[in-house]
Amino acid sequence: MEEAKGTVKHVVLAKFKDDITPEQIQELIKGYASLVNLIPSMKSFHWGTDVSAENLHQGFTHVFESTFESTEAVAEYVAHPNHVEYANLLLPTLEKVIIVDYKPSTVNF
C-alpha cells in the first residue's frame, strides 16, 4: 500500500442533540463550509448524512470531511482562531462526536 504524500483527511462524525433544529444544523453546516475560505491550510470541505442500509451508524447522522496537505496543516487549522470560534459553536450542539485524521492510502497489486 502506498500512503498519499502529505495529504491528510480530517473526518468528523456527528450526532446532533435532539433539540437542535434542522435550520440550526443547516446554519452550522454553512459555518463549517465557510472555514475553507478563512483558513488557508484547509484545502477542501465535504459533508453528507448517513444513507447506509446497514444501520450501523450508532446514532451518528452527519459526516464532515476536510482535506489538508499535511499533519502540520491540520494542527494549524485546529489552532486557527476561526476554527476555535466555530468549534465553540458546534460542539455544544452535539450529543456525540468522533474525529479522525488519516492519510489516504492506495492499494497497489
Side-chain angles (χ1 to χ4, degrees):
M1 283 187 260
E2 184 178 320
E3 190 174 273
K5 295 206 174 15
T7 300
V8 176
K9 299 287 188 173
H10 177 78
V11 178
V12 177
L13 300 175
K15 178 184 187 312
F16 288 92
K17 293 179 180 174
D18 290 340
D19 63 342
I20 305 302
T21 67
E23 294 79 18
Q24 289 172 304
I25 292 171
Q26 284 304 311
E27 285 303 309
L28 288 163
I29 292 168
K30 286 180 190 175
Y32 203 154
S34 74
L35 294 179
V36 77
N37 297 316
L38 300 172
I39 304 175
S41 65
M42 187 179 186
K43 299 303 176 192
S44 70
F45 172 79
H46 298 92
W47 75 276
T49 57
D50 178 63
V51 294
S52 174
E54 295 174 299
N55 199 27
L56 297 174
H57 55 74
Q58 298 180 34
F60 292 95
T61 56
H62 289 71
V63 178
F64 305 103
E65 180 189 74
S66 305
T67 303
F68 299 86
E69 292 178 349
S70 66
T71 54
E72 294 81 9
V74 176
E76 290 173 21
Y77 160 81
V78 169
H80 194 282
N82 290 106
H83 172 263
V84 172
E85 180 180 350
Y86 177 76
N88 286 334
L89 293 174
L90 176 67
L91 292 175
T93 69
L94 301 179
E95 183 177 316
K96 298 192 295 187
V97 65
I98 294 174
I99 300 173
V100 176
D101 296 334
Y102 73 98
K103 290 187 173 193
S105 296
T106 302
V107 177
N108 295 317
F109 292 100

